[in-house]
Amino acid sequence: MLQTSPATRTEARPDENQTSTLTAYRWMILARVLEEKLASLYRGGKITGGVFLGKGQEALSAAIGTALRKGDIFAPLIRDMAGRLAFGESVLEAARTYLGSRLGPMRGRDGNIHRGKPRDGYYAMISHLGAMVSTVTGGLFARRARGETGVVGATCIGDGATSTGSFHEGLNMAAVEKLPLVVIVANNQYAYSTPTARQYACEDLVQRAAGYGVAGYKIDGTDPSACVEVVHEAVARARAGSGPQMVVADLLRLVGHGEHDDFHYMNHALKLAPIGRDCLDVAREQLIASGDATRAQLDTMRNQAAAEVESACGTALREALPNPSEEDWCALSTRRLSEGGQQ
Amino acid sequence: MFQNQTATTAQTGTITYLEAIRAAQRKLLAEDERVFIYGQDIADFGGAFKATKGLAKEFPGRVIDSPISEDAQVGLAIGAALEGMRPIVEMQFADFSTCGLTQILQHAATMFWRTGVPCPIVVRLPSGGTAGAGPFHSQSMEALYAHYPGIVVMTPATVEDAYTMLLEAVEIDDPVIFCEHKYLYYHLKADGLPDVALPTGKARIARAGRDATIVTYSAMVHESIACAEELAAEGWEIEVVDLRSVKPLDTDTILGSVARTGRLLAVGEAFPWGGVTAEVLARIATEGFGLLDAPPMRLNAKDTPVPYHPNLWGTHRPTARTITSAMRDLLRS
């Protein structure tokens, strides 16, 4: 009845064994290495605009990225490089967006984290926080109307976004419509510079789940195996028809809001507490202790990630930049209704 | 006794402007499986103005009551549109669409340009003033939406346009703001609904004339025609241009009319600062200055919130009487 867009991912992602911490680690380390490279390029003046890192949030982000399947809907937020890669974005497309390549999915019209490919179910966030909650809900609404079952939609937000009206409206609507939405809340202790005490007054954000009539989960966001286990369970329940799910992960943003921000306001007690652990370090310990990987294997993964990142960034750096004289200055797809030529 | 009542637009006919909107939605639901309507109190209740009366029963599951969440209503429509649907969002009153501005202006309107994927949503705004409605149930918001790139803004003035333009709105691959006038809902009637129409983007000469041009849209078309009728008794022939859509704005038709008449009065029900009438004057001043025999004029509502009491409301917005007064000044200048 409806035209479906073909899901054409630029890079096939493994569909098997997605549930393991080792699989998550692959995306975590790839995201970390890529973001370190982007930060370096930013400091070197190669990137115009902001660079926003997910350092400290890779475990949570990879957990949702690996829990989703091809055909699902994903609307990541600022610190979800790991989840984006796990969902199917290529390193090259991420690099192209940051570096302004005209071959990137946003063609220089938008940059950094505001990227996506809606036809692949990979929605492009806007900067207005909470907006994607109802948007993913709408995508799921359409899938249900078409008779599709077993689809899940997920979006990621931070503690700051839980204070927006859009978050409230969207999650309430998803619950009223009983749609398979999974909301991943990275409670990373700061919204830009604002600490959680100035953001909310409830004891714990997960308490809000009950208020919306959705299932709530609380996890330690620095614990990769816990992130994978719980997020995958939430996604499985949504897929099975249990309605919206909300996962709240406590963790610490290990860097400033963006690379322009020195994070001088950070409370060092948090950094020294368990919440300040680096989830990549924890993942390594867990994988080695469980025998799922050796130190050498993990080092090899890092080296492979570095090679992939170097190659992609090198390619993107050599590509042509957007050209204003070749730009189609038309905001409507219906050209006859455009006023672009008026000025 | 109330003062300055609006021009009588009641016509003989069997189909009202509101019924035309309902008929368009029924046709869309019947013929296009991608269409659904999402809004407050629109299912069994049929909507605050009954624009969807009976449709929920006729099309089960496709005319759906929403929580009072304008932001999320539009967000849901955007997501559904990305997945191939053709959603219509009914705002209960245009005024409440401010609660959905982020999703409309920042998200829907930027979608195609940013991602290359069209965002075909229609947001219906019951617009404009009626006596007693007050500051929060009377607003005309077309200028605010038209300011942003990436949106089509329709302002139908006739029963026929209310019908055909809503059909076209759903066909268009871009976000459409459909400003339907609440006063016209019940007061405007036609004998039937047309099969063909001017395409959106083309203005209509609602009344031909040679002495001066009034450029207007929506309910003000009827106030302006009443003005033209009054002045016709004195021998003046006033041309009335109905813009039909304010974005795109049919500059060519306005230029053509001003070329014939040499005089321009732009009339709008919205607030005066900036807006559609200012845009019309700016375009004629820059593209058709040499056509003008007198300084162009504009007439809008006053620069205050829309008042509640009919005595104040009738003076707040332009009426046939104030348009006629402005036109007399223009004809003398």
Side-chain angles (χ1 to χ4, degrees):
Chain A
M1 110 192 206
L2 298 173
Q3 292 196 336
T4 46
S5 344
T8 48
R9 295 196 189 290
T10 51
E11 183 185 272
R13 69 196 172 87
D15 280 313
E16 292 175 11
N17 198 24
Q18 284 280 340
T19 56
S20 72
T21 306
L22 185 60
T23 304
Y25 183 80
R26 182 190 159 198
W27 303 113
M28 291 167 64
I29 191 67
L30 184 58
R32 176 69 62 89
V33 170
L34 173 56
E35 291 197 331
E36 284 171 352
K37 178 67 178 179
L38 293 171
S40 164
L41 289 166
Y42 173 80
R43 287 192 293 273
K46 299 287 190 191
I47 292 175
T48 309
V51 169
F52 307 88
L53 307 185
K55 189 176 182 182
Q57 300 188 193
E58 291 94 339
L60 179 66
S61 187
I64 185 63
T66 55
L68 296 173
R69 297 175 188 160
K70 200 170 198 168
D72 285 341
I73 297 169
F74 185 40
L77 201 74
I78 303 171
R79 307 184 199 287
D80 284 306
M81 184 70 88
R84 290 170 187 263
L85 296 170
F87 189 64
E89 183 184 55
S90 70
V91 172
L92 180 58
E93 296 212 323
R96 281 170 163 166
T97 307
Y98 270 98
L99 290 162
S101 163
R102 64 195 291 177
L103 301 180
M106 312 311 283
R107 299 158 291 164
R109 294 178 175 186
D110 208 339
N112 51 66
I113 51 184
H114 309 95
R115 64 187 196 272
K117 295 175 101 173
R119 291 209 191 283
D120 293 353
Y122 172 32
Y123 291 3
M125 61 169 281
I126 63 169
S127 299
H128 300 62
L129 296 173
M132 303 313 290
V133 180
S134 61
T135 305
V136 175
T137 297
L140 293 168
F141 183 94
R143 300 289 188 92
R144 183 170 67 188
R146 280 205 294 247
E148 288 183 34
T149 55
V151 178
V152 169
T155 190
C156 303
I157 58 164
D159 41 280
T162 66
S163 303
T164 65
S166 294
F167 168 79
H168 165 75
E169 288 192 11
L171 188 49
N172 180 62
M173 186 173 280
V176 168
E177 300 289 354
K178 299 181 174 58
L179 288 163
L181 174 75
V182 178
V183 176
I184 304 291
V185 182
N187 186 18
N188 69 8
Q189 313 305 310
Y190 291 95
Y192 204 151
S193 74
T194 303
T196 52
R198 297 300 309 162
Q199 204 63 248
Y200 58 85
C202 55
E203 192 179 327
D204 194 303
L205 283 176
V206 77
Q207 293 172 328
R208 293 194 182 171
Y212 293 110
V214 310
Y217 306 78
K218 183 66 189 294
I219 47 177
D220 174 357
T222 69
D223 180 342
S225 63
C227 287
V228 169
E229 182 188 340
V230 173
V231 169
H232 282 244
E233 183 189 336
V235 169
R237 284 197 190 172
R239 208 181 293 287
S242 298
Q245 317 280 314
M246 175 170 145
V247 179
V248 177
D250 284 346
L251 48 85
L252 178 64
R253 196 185 75 202
L254 297 178
V255 287
H257 170 57
E259 281 304 273
H260 59 278
D261 174 18
D262 65 10
F263 206 15
H264 64 273
Y265 46 84
M266 186 189 67
N267 176 356
H268 283 270
L270 287 173
K271 189 73 175 282
L272 299 171
I275 199 173
R277 296 189 298 178
D278 184 336
C279 60
L280 265 101
D281 294 342
V282 179
R284 280 177 72 91
E285 290 162 15
Q286 287 177 341
L287 290 166
I288 292 165
S290 66
D292 286 324
T294 64
R295 202 173 298 276
Q297 285 171 323
L298 296 177
D299 289 344
T300 301
M301 286 172 80
R302 183 180 181 102
N303 292 339
Q304 286 171 341
E308 186 177 353
V309 164
E310 286 301 324
S311 166
C313 289
T315 299
L317 276 166
R318 287 192 300 274
E319 288 173 350
L321 299 173
N323 181 342
S325 64
E326 291 175 15
E327 170 67 32
D328 179 23
W329 296 101
C330 177
L332 293 176
S333 72
T334 315
R335 300 196 63 85
R336 69 177 174 83
L337 298 176
S338 171
E339 293 216 322
Q342 291 287 352
Q343 300 306 315
Chain B
M1 169 115 185
F2 297 154
Q3 299 165 5
N4 303 324
Q5 284 302 287
T6 191
T8 303
T9 51
Q11 300 170 6
T12 54
T14 52
I15 299 171
T16 65
Y17 183 96
L18 178 67
E19 285 163 348
I21 289 167
R22 191 187 306 137
Q25 292 181 112
R26 177 180 288 115
K27 182 176 167 69
L28 288 161
L29 287 163
E31 295 179 0
D32 190 341
E33 288 181 295
R34 302 170 303 173
V35 174
F36 70 95
I37 312 176
Y38 203 71
Q40 296 160 25
D41 305 296
I42 67 166
D44 292 344
F45 187 64
F49 298 97
K50 304 301 173 197
T52 56
K53 186 180 174 186
L55 297 183
K57 194 172 178 187
E58 196 174 340
F59 302 98
R62 296 173 63 198
V63 181
I64 303 146
D65 280 334
S66 161
I68 303 177
S69 300
E70 286 81 3
D71 178 272
Q73 284 169 244
V74 180
L76 180 140
I78 292 169
L82 289 177
E83 301 295 330
M85 304 287 276
R86 295 277 161 160
I88 299 171
V89 174
E90 178 180 306
M91 291 288 169
Q92 198 153 74
F93 287 79
D95 316 48
F96 302 148
S97 73
T98 56
C99 298
L101 281 184
T102 296
Q103 291 286 12
I104 298 171
L105 302 179
Q106 311 291 347
H107 202 182
T110 64
M111 183 68 74
F112 173 71
W113 196 75
R114 294 169 65 236
T115 69
V117 178
C119 186
I121 67 169
V122 175
V123 184
R124 288 181 36 236
L125 304 188
S127 304
T130 53
F136 308 117
H137 296 75
S138 301
Q139 293 167 37
S140 299
M141 309 196 61
E142 59 279 355
L144 192 153
Y145 290 104
H147 180 70
Y148 275 77
I151 304 181
V152 173
V153 184
M154 298 183 177
T155 49
T158 66
V159 175
E160 293 82 355
D161 275 351
Y163 178 72
T164 58
M165 292 181 81
L166 184 51
L167 295 178
E168 191 182 356
V170 171
E171 236 173 71
I172 290 171
D173 276 342
D174 294 288
V176 176
I177 298 294
F178 191 82
C179 302
E180 48 193 57
H181 201 287
K182 300 198 297 291
Y183 181 80
L184 302 181
Y185 271 166
Y186 314 106
H187 290 84
L188 206 56
K189 290 177 182 165
D191 285 327
L193 297 172
D195 293 324
V196 291
L198 278 178
T200 291
K202 288 285 177 202
R204 176 180 70 101
I205 307 293
R207 180 188 174 100
R210 63 170 186 215
D211 296 319
T213 297
I214 299 177
V215 173
T216 188
Y217 56 96
S218 192
M220 287 297 131
V221 168
H222 305 286
E223 303 291 329
S224 299
I225 289 173
C227 154
E229 284 170 357
E230 182 176 341
L231 290 171
E234 301 168 22
W236 297 107
E237 292 182 29
I238 308 301
E239 184 148 298
V240 178
V241 175
D242 171 8
L243 291 172
R244 302 177 68 244
S245 66
V246 301
K247 194 171 190 181
L249 185 61
D250 184 358
T251 313
D252 289 346
T253 295
I254 303 171
L255 281 167
S257 178
V258 173
R260 285 190 290 278
T261 66
R263 283 177 160 76
L264 170 65
L265 170 63
V267 178
E269 187 176 337
F271 302 130
W273 202 98
V276 176
T277 59
E279 182 70 25
V280 168
L281 260 65
R283 291 191 187 193
I284 299 309
T286 51
E287 297 176 46
F289 191 75
L291 303 172
L292 292 166
D293 295 331
M297 292 178 67
R298 54 194 285 255
L299 188 63
N300 283 94
K302 294 185 188 303
D303 191 28
T304 69
V306 184
Y308 143 72
H309 196 275
N311 286 356
L312 301 179
W313 173 74
T315 299
H316 181 265
R317 69 173 199 162
T319 60
R321 189 181 63 79
T322 57
I323 296 168
T324 304
S325 172
M327 182 51 76
R328 287 187 202 283
D329 289 344
L330 181 63
L331 291 167
R332 275 195 296 268
S333 68

